Amino acid sequence: EKGGFSSFMDKEIHDQPQAVGDTLLGRFDTEGKLSLDEMHIDENVLKSIDKIVVVACGTAAYAGQVAKYAIEHWCRIPVEVELAHEFRYRDPVVNEKTLIVAISQSGETMDTIMAVRHARQQGAKVIAICNTFGSTIPRESDAVLYTHAGPEIAVASTKAFLSQVVACYLLGLYLAQLRGNKFRDEIALILKDLQTIPEKIQRILDEGKDQVLGLARRNEDVGSVLFLGRHVGYPVAMEGALKLKELAYIHAEGFAAGELKHGPIALIDDGQLVIIVVPSKRGRDSLHAKVISNIQEVRARGANTVVIAEEGDEDVREFASEVIYVPETSTLLAPLLTTVPLQIFAMELATAKGLDVDQPRNLAKSVTVE
Ligand code: M6R
């Protein structure tokens, strides 16, 4: 049931601290090392893989995009992310050395099922990341890492997404551990940071929700919203845009911020709402400065800039119409926090327009046809 919330989606957004906590639970041994009992794939096989291909659709594919940044960095294995329906019908290069990661909340998405079947026929091993116990995708995979988000009823995925991202991190860290990683200290830090995520999400829900609600209400009549991000902020931007399309029926696009000058900047006109996901200042390779200059670029062309940034980041204020702060965390874990205001924004905007946020038009919770 809705547990006192006005919609399942609202409830599920508030379930997220628990969903993330439960997905982490029981996956560490007494020394704090990752132990994934359900990983029924021979360790030698996992050590010998030379490529990972994530297959998924919609929001689950965005979780896969986040996974790419993390797993490539920690494991030094190339990771491709494929929309399952595109993967299946383009004669992909997969073999015994390929590890397929099939991400699906329902485990019944037909496009993803077909991709899994095709990959296994080519000799690839498949790990499912799934939220629905005993569903088709886990049954047809070699191993499964369950997300413990609990049932997700609202059509728009929220807590399943965050749990998928967590499961992807666990998989990446596990593979790094197995393959003798070079980033031991960084990984220990990440594992510690992961444990603090539930309380940080809770803080966003407790302290940030009203601000986002106000923002949504003020933008009820907006005709188009652009979302920008770099690095792991890029899939977050696409997820923010998808939520808004699905729930509020507003035209929205997520772009890699670096791509702006290669075309999308032509869209910026007076008053265009642009939501920018800013990476941590402590992050690598001056990404922060690059995103700040992207904000300046759109601002100079009249955009209304709403910025999602890390607490303490004062540099963004000058160029932002509004800043939504989220707690600090490691760069790679940031999607677990920055996504939350975007979910709330889409939900509240749809609510302000009088729309049904649990059952948006034309959509089904699980797409069981190709
Ligand atoms: O059940 P699945 O995770 O396989 O579903 C995949 C997509 O259909 C799903 O994420 C869809 O994009 C959601 N409506 C997004 O909110």
Side-chain angles (χ1 to χ4, degrees):
E1 268 315 296
K2 291 182 200 163
F5 291 95
S6 57
S7 62
F8 281 108
M9 186 180 179
D10 199 11
K11 172 184 179 290
E12 287 160 10
I13 287 175
H14 285 81
D15 283 346
Q16 292 184 116
Q18 171 128 28
V20 167
D22 287 353
T23 300
L24 290 171
L25 211 66
R27 280 168 167 162
F28 300 89
D29 65 17
T30 45
E31 291 158 26
K33 276 182 101 182
L34 263 165
S35 75
L36 302 178
D37 300 339
E38 57 267 76
M39 199 52 71
H40 301 301
I41 297 180
D42 190 87
E43 287 197 355
N44 290 321
V45 173
L46 290 177
K47 280 182 188 159
S48 70
I49 55 163
D50 62 9
K51 181 170 81 168
I52 295 176
V53 181
V54 178
V55 294
C57 302
T59 288
Y62 297 144
Q65 300 270 13
V66 175
K68 176 182 167 75
Y69 289 87
I71 298 177
E72 287 192 339
H73 176 62
W74 295 328
C75 305
R76 312 308 301 150
I77 306 171
V79 181
E80 295 169 9
V81 186
E82 293 264 359
L83 294 169
H85 34 91
E86 285 297 316
F87 170 85
R88 170 64 187 86
Y89 295 104
R90 67 162 182 78
D91 197 11
V93 181
V94 281
N95 55 42
E96 299 75 20
K97 293 196 152 206
T98 312
L99 178 68
I100 301 289
V101 179
I103 309 178
S104 175
Q105 188 285 130
S106 61
E108 300 297 347
T109 298
M110 189 51 78
D111 289 318
T112 310
I113 295 173
M114 296 308 278
V116 165
R117 288 182 185 156
H118 184 70
R120 289 193 85 194
Q121 275 163 11
Q122 317 297 309
K125 292 281 184 232
V126 178
I127 295 180
I129 290 182
C130 186
N131 195 47
T132 311
F133 194 76
S135 56
T136 305
I137 291 171
R139 278 193 280 114
E140 296 204 12
S141 299
D142 297 284
V144 51
L145 204 52
Y146 279 108
T147 49
H148 297 299
E152 192 180 64
I153 310 293
V155 166
S157 186
T158 54
K159 62 177 179 174
F161 173 70
L162 290 202
S163 310
Q164 286 159 354
V165 170
V166 169
C168 287
Y169 293 146
L170 292 177
L171 176 63
L173 294 167
Y174 178 77
L175 291 175
Q177 197 175 274
L178 200 71
R179 294 163 68 104
N181 64 79
K182 290 181 261 150
F183 303 97
R184 223 167 274 267
D185 294 347
E186 185 183 337
I187 287 175
L189 194 80
I190 296 273
L191 287 174
K192 238 175 84 195
D193 257 13
L194 262 177
Q195 308 287 351
T196 68
I197 294 290
E199 76 199 46
K200 289 175 178 168
I201 299 173
Q202 191 59 52
R203 203 133 68 70
I204 298 173
L205 297 172
D206 293 342
E207 295 168 17
K209 202 177 171 199
D210 287 348
Q211 185 192 1
V212 182
L213 171 71
L215 181 72
R217 287 189 177 155
R218 286 196 301 284
N219 285 285
E220 192 188 320
D221 297 322
V222 80
S224 144
V225 184
L226 305 183
F227 293 77
L228 301 179
R230 265 179 195 258
H231 193 255
V232 287
Y234 171 34
V236 171
M238 292 192 286
E239 170 62 3
L242 179 61
K243 288 285 94 87
L244 203 59
K245 289 177 214 178
E246 284 189 295
L247 297 167
Y249 318 147
I250 289 174
H251 175 258
E253 292 296 332
F255 295 111
E259 194 64 8
L260 257 186
K261 56 186 173 302
H262 300 287
I265 200 160
L267 289 168
I268 309 291
D269 206 350
D270 235 10
Q272 169 69 53
L273 179 57
V274 184
I275 301 185
I276 307 108
V277 183
V278 179
S280 160
K281 269 179 92 166
R282 296 165 293 113
R284 62 181 71 90
D285 302 336
S286 64
L287 268 186
H288 179 267
K290 293 209 165 74
V291 177
I292 298 267
S293 69
N294 293 136
I295 304 173
Q296 279 174 271
E297 283 158 14
V298 294
R299 173 87 158 184
R301 289 162 180 84
N304 174 14
T305 50
V306 171
V307 168
I308 316 282
E310 189 176 83
E311 272 166 9
D313 184 348
E314 292 299 322
D315 302 1
V316 293
R317 279 195 188 278
E318 191 181 341
F319 309 108
S321 318
E322 179 152 356
V323 187
I324 295 163
Y325 283 113
V326 296
E328 279 187 24
T329 191
S330 325
T331 303
L332 283 165
L333 301 190
L336 296 174
L337 303 179
T338 50
T339 306
V340 178
L342 304 185
Q343 298 168 336
I344 299 170
F345 179 69
M347 176 180 72
E348 295 296 358
L349 208 151
T351 306
K353 287 175 79 168
L355 300 171
D356 179 346
V357 295
D358 286 338
Q359 293 283 347
R361 69 185 180 199
N362 307 341
L363 293 173
K365 179 63 183 160
S366 156
V367 183
T368 54
V369 290
E370 273 193 279

